């Protein structure tokens, strides 16, 4: 099935919108197909400010309808205590909030940006999406992440080369309580590293220590500017370490 065929079959839809590569392209494709599509961004402490900024910018450039829903994800103990399946409970809360807002607005079909490269496997978040009967058009159309990036570039979308991003909660080890302070420290630290020119990386919160996970491209650079990194992250962690295993993936 091609995306245009999907939107012919589902001409009125709501989209769980993150401001990332996949959801931005899906919003574009829906509008291009003439669908009545409204985007919903759920703002929690798990998303850094730049994600909301990108979502607002993308929707604005396309003239799309966007609603921002504020949600206290940490109010749910099953999310805050960070069990191995935390993502399941978090996704349930987020997409349930989107579904409620969408239904209020007259939309009873809900979409997300899962693509054909995303392996459901035992991923708790994907289980929640399935249980809530959220549709994934990119996956149904067989579009991989590489396809979405290529098509986004052809469409002139600024997100075409945006690095994949997993929420701030993924920086905290399973079993360790998630707090607003840990999330805020992580966001500030990653923004500081971005200001030094790093793009695709993670800073894991390891019992007060910040562990930098970098791509092969950035590994050598990190050692060359280690003093600048230490200064940028000063006061956010008790210590800074660099993971010698090269980063590969979106988590």
């Amino acid at each position: 099935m091609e995306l245009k065929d999907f939107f012919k079959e589902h001409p009125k839809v709501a989209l769980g919108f993150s401001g990332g590569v996949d959801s931005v392209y899906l919003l574009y494709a829906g509008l291009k197909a003439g669908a009545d599509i409204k985007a919903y961004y759920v703002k929690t402490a798990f998303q850094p400010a730049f994600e909301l900024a990108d979502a607002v910018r993308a929707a604005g450039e396309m003239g799309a309808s966007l609603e921002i829903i504020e949600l206290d994800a940490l109010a749910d103990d099953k999310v805050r205590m960070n069990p191995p399946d935390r993502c399941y409970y978090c996704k349930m809360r987020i997409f349930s909030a989107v579904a409620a807002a969408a239904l209020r607005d007259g939309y009873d079909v809900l979409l997300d940006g899962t693509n054909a490269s995303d392996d459901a496997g035992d991923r708790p978040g994907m289980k929640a999406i399935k249980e809530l009967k959220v549709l994934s058009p990119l996956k149904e159309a067989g579009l991989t992440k590489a396809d979405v990036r290529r098509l986004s570039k052809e469409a002139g979308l600024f997100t075409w080369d945006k690095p994949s991003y997993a929420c701030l909660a993924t920086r905290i080890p399973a079993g360790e309580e998630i707090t607003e302070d840990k999330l805020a420290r992580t966001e500030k630290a990653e923004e500081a590293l971005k200001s030094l020119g790093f793009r695709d990386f993670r800073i894991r919160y390891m019992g007060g220590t910040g562990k930098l996970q970098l791509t092969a491209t950035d590994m050598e650079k990190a050692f060359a500017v280690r003093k600048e990194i230490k200064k940028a992250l000063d006061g956010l962690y008790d210590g800074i370490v660099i993971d010698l295993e090269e980063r590969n993936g979106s988590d």
Side-chain angles (χ1 to χ4, degrees):
M1 173 185 286
E2 294 188 9
L3 281 182
K4 62 180 181 180
D5 298 321
F6 176 90
F7 287 112
K8 282 182 181 179
E9 187 175 335
H10 304 283
K12 185 173 183 177
V13 294
L15 171 63
F17 193 61
S18 69
V21 182
D22 299 316
S23 64
V24 168
Y25 180 72
L26 187 55
L27 180 59
Y28 165 83
L31 293 170
K32 185 177 181 183
D36 176 356
I37 180 170
K38 181 173 180 178
Y40 296 83
Y41 180 97
V42 179
K43 182 177 181 293
T44 75
F46 292 174
Q47 283 78 38
F50 79 82
E51 287 281 66
L52 175 56
D54 283 355
V56 171
R57 175 186 170 186
E61 290 182 355
M62 289 186 270
S65 178
L66 171 65
E67 179 174 336
I68 300 168
I69 302 170
E70 295 206 15
L71 178 70
D72 182 4
L74 294 179
D76 186 338
D77 288 346
K78 292 177 180 176
V79 174
R80 181 173 54 81
M81 297 312 294
N82 200 18
D85 58 349
R86 169 200 43 82
C87 194
Y88 170 82
Y89 300 106
C90 192
K91 287 285 188 184
M92 287 293 286
R93 283 181 63 83
I94 287 175
F95 276 91
S96 291
V98 172
L103 195 59
R104 175 205 66 204
D105 296 336
Y107 299 88
D108 58 7
V109 176
L110 184 56
L111 313 180
D112 87 319
T114 301
N115 64 60
S117 299
D118 294 323
D119 180 15
D122 293 326
R123 291 170 62 180
M126 301 291 273
K127 179 183 176 184
I129 295 295
K130 184 177 180 180
E131 288 183 7
L132 290 171
K133 295 181 170 55
V134 178
L135 303 182
S136 303
L138 298 175
K139 189 170 186 176
E140 290 188 29
L143 295 174
T144 64
K145 175 69 80 173
D147 293 328
V148 175
R149 289 193 184 282
R150 173 179 55 80
L151 292 168
S152 294
K153 186 176 183 180
E154 292 173 1
L157 302 175
F158 76 90
T159 51
W160 75 270
D161 65 343
K162 181 178 177 178
S164 296
Y165 192 83
C167 82
L168 293 170
T170 63
R171 313 300 193 271
I172 302 170
E176 180 174 339
E177 181 180 1
I178 300 172
T179 66
E180 290 190 7
D181 178 66
K182 292 172 185 175
L183 296 172
R185 284 170 183 261
T186 300
E187 179 176 2
K188 188 173 181 179
E190 293 195 347
E191 280 299 311
L193 209 60
K194 282 173 64 177
S195 71
L196 293 177
F198 294 91
R199 291 190 74 230
D200 190 1
F201 63 91
R202 298 286 184 266
I203 303 182
R204 307 289 181 186
Y205 188 95
M206 309 296 291
T209 296
K211 182 170 76 171
L212 277 59
Q213 294 181 322
L214 306 162
T215 61
T217 303
D218 284 340
M219 189 76 71
E220 187 173 337
K221 175 183 176 181
F223 285 106
V225 298
R226 62 187 182 279
K227 291 182 180 179
E228 288 85 347
I229 291 176
K230 184 178 184 301
K231 182 178 179 180
L233 304 185
D234 187 46
L236 296 174
Y237 301 100
D238 297 331
I240 304 296
V241 298
I242 295 178
D243 190 341
L244 296 180
E245 290 289 337
E246 297 170 0
R247 171 177 149 67
N248 182 22
S250 59
D251 291 340

